Amino acid sequence: MMSVPKASDYGDAAQSLADPYGDEPTPLAKAAEHMLLARQGAKMRPAIERPSATRILVVANQKGGVGKTTSTVNMAAALAQLGQRVLVIDLDPQGNASTALSIEHHRGTPSSYDLLVEGEPLSAVLSPCPDIELLSVVPATIDLAGAEIELVSVVAREQRLQKALRADPRISDQPVSDAGEERFDYVFIDCPPSLGLLTLNALVAGREMMVPIQAEYYALEGLGQLLATVDMVKAHLNPELAISAFLITMYDGRTRLAASVAEEVREHFGPQVLRTNIPRSVRVSEAPSYSQTVMTYDPGSPGAMGYLEAAKELASKGPGTKGADT
């Protein structure tokens, strides 16, 4: 049986938090100790097996407010904590994924705009995440808002991202033993809440899709249009694309509505729906205001544990389940 870590296991810093004056610790000290132990515990999570090739996942849903960016950054962070080498590409001009991962994204920062419009190589625009080892980010700047207009006259404009990813040796169909330890295991592409040219670039570049669905009324509204777009991309531009996972977010187990929506989604999409539901959580919502994911902000919270289990499940499912036209 695995032993529960104590404050003493993490040195003098944790001891001083737990008992700063030799007296009974205050509630604030107890909370600080809990946070420190949780963060240290997150670093000690056993690694999972790395995939045989780089998995490129597009996170998309044109319906706003479904937890798309939140799911992108937290799934990426969870996989990095599980020993996977992960890249997040922020394609949303709002740059919320960049904010949550504590990456600079002011105008002039090397970004996904330079990757798509200027043709810069991937190596010139990515930055390491300061809080999470093994996680790298291509940020989005406000310049990206005009990218769709600038790309209109460009030849093969919907293949710009695919070309950039294929040119980088760290994104490979080869196993780590052949491609090298620096090979990315997962690439998550965070899309804007629309089906424009930025999302189309992501769908052409990706091999799999993860679709977050909010456990609330009208959850399936608009999904038909998304699935029709996926079918179009498969037929004409990217036959490899498949939906790997539907992820139910903002799940409140106290309400019948949430349970009803989850049941309806599972009846409709079957095994493509991850068994893990992401609970509605204040900690998940708070984390971005501190430029963090919930995986580092409060690793022991229900939201963090939900994303950790969902990440393990996604990894165990393997590459995309065929049937995006469901």
Side-chain angles (χ1 to χ4, degrees):
M1 182 180 295
M2 186 173 66
S3 60
V4 178
K6 302 180 178 63
S8 58
D9 297 333
Y10 300 107
D12 296 338
Q15 272 302 116
S16 63
L17 282 172
D19 194 7
Y21 302 109
D23 300 321
E24 183 69 20
T26 65
L28 182 60
K30 286 182 179 179
E33 178 191 16
H34 167 76
M35 182 67 71
L36 180 59
L37 294 180
R39 289 188 177 181
Q40 292 291 343
K43 294 179 180 178
M44 296 169 61
R45 286 172 180 150
I48 60 175
E49 184 178 355
R50 298 176 71 177
S52 59
T54 302
R55 294 179 62 179
I56 305 174
L57 293 109
V58 180
V59 185
N61 190 334
Q62 80 271 23
K63 189 175 187 297
V66 299
K68 176 180 56 59
T69 296
T70 299
S71 296
T72 299
V73 298
N74 284 297
M75 291 287 277
L79 286 165
Q81 289 181 348
L82 292 168
Q84 308 299 292
R85 194 171 292 278
V86 184
L87 172 65
V88 171
I89 300 176
D90 191 352
L91 281 190
D92 190 337
Q94 297 178 84
N96 291 335
S98 307
T99 297
L101 295 170
S102 196
I103 301 295
E104 290 288 337
H105 58 100
H106 54 80
R107 175 166 278 171
T109 302
S111 67
S112 52
Y113 171 86
D114 301 285
L115 193 69
L116 289 174
V117 179
E118 303 296 338
E120 291 288 336
L122 183 64
S123 57
V125 296
L126 61 78
S127 302
C129 178
D131 298 324
I132 305 171
E133 194 176 355
L134 302 180
L135 179 58
S136 299
V137 184
V138 176
T141 64
I142 193 61
D143 294 324
L144 196 60
E148 295 200 10
I149 297 174
E150 294 183 60
L151 288 173
V152 165
S153 60
V154 175
V155 176
R157 56 186 178 272
E158 71 281 352
Q159 297 174 358
R160 301 282 288 184
L161 182 59
Q162 180 190 62
K163 181 179 178 182
L165 296 185
R166 285 182 174 177
D168 194 287
R170 289 166 295 181
I171 297 173
S172 173
D173 290 330
Q174 301 298 318
V176 173
S177 57
D178 295 328
E181 286 296 320
E182 296 300 309
R183 190 208 71 180
F184 287 115
D185 301 308
Y186 292 86
V187 178
F188 285 88
I189 307 173
D190 184 39
C191 299
S194 68
L195 293 178
L197 191 51
L198 294 176
T199 299
L200 182 59
N201 258 272
L203 293 175
V204 172
R207 294 168 183 162
E208 308 176 49
M209 282 187 70
M210 183 177 77
V211 183
I213 298 178
Q214 187 178 5
E216 291 190 358
Y217 196 53
Y218 294 137
L220 298 177
E221 187 181 67
L223 272 184
Q225 185 181 357
L226 176 64
L227 296 178
T229 301
V230 172
D231 286 343
M232 180 197 71
V233 171
K234 285 183 65 175
H236 301 288
L237 297 167
N238 182 9
E240 294 183 354
L241 185 64
I243 296 182
S244 290
F246 291 91
L247 176 65
I248 297 175
T249 62
M250 305 180 197
Y251 183 84
D252 188 344
R254 299 169 298 178
T255 67
R256 290 183 181 178
L257 176 61
S260 175
V261 169
E263 182 179 357
E264 182 180 2
V265 171
R266 289 193 165 89
E267 284 179 0
H268 199 74
F269 296 109
Q272 291 170 297
V273 185
L274 297 183
R275 294 186 303 273
T276 305
N277 299 327
I278 305 302
R280 183 176 290 278
S281 168
V282 173
R283 299 307 239 176
V284 171
S285 302
E286 286 177 347
S289 64
Y290 293 90
S291 295
Q292 293 187 57
T293 67
V294 75
M295 306 306 299
T296 55
Y297 179 65
D298 191 353
S301 66
M305 299 310 295
Y307 276 115
L308 181 66
E309 289 306 311
K312 290 179 180 177
E313 191 178 344
L314 181 70
S316 69
K317 281 172 67 71
T321 304
K322 299 300 179 185
D325 53 350
T326 301

